Amino acid sequence: MKGNSLISLKEGQCAKVECLLSNDLMRRRLQDIGLTEGASVECVLKGPSGDPIAYLIKGAIFALRSEDCKKVIVAS
């Protein structure tokens, strides 16, 4: 694992998912919204407080909490 977590992306920056660090129901939820190995993700908007953060994933925009973003490892 050599990437950074999803939270490290800046607005407008894209990356590909390397892996998920969660093994619970959150892992399943992240996979259901398209965060699977090799999927492209773009950071669309960060809230004023930095939470939640909006990402473009497979043509749809999803807002994720910072704590969940830290469980997604990406490579630029």
Side-chain angles (χ1 to χ4, degrees):
M1 179 173 47
K2 55 190 167 192
N4 296 317
S5 67
L6 188 58
I7 200 167
S8 68
L9 294 181
K10 294 176 176 34
E11 286 185 25
Q13 190 175 10
C14 298
K16 290 205 181 278
V17 175
E18 280 191 354
C19 67
L20 302 178
L21 299 179
S22 179
N23 288 320
D24 54 10
L25 292 174
M26 181 48 67
R27 178 184 183 88
R28 180 65 186 176
R29 179 178 177 264
L30 294 171
Q31 290 173 326
D32 287 346
I33 64 171
L35 287 171
T36 56
E37 187 176 324
S40 294
V41 181
E42 179 184 348
C43 180
V44 178
L45 183 67
K46 290 191 175 191
S49 65
D51 205 13
I53 305 168
Y55 295 95
L56 179 63
I57 307 164
K58 296 189 177 182
I61 296 178
F62 295 94
L64 298 173
R65 298 176 300 176
S66 298
E67 66 183 72
D68 299 326
C69 295
K70 292 176 184 174
K71 299 175 183 177
V72 181
I73 303 302
V74 296
S76 313

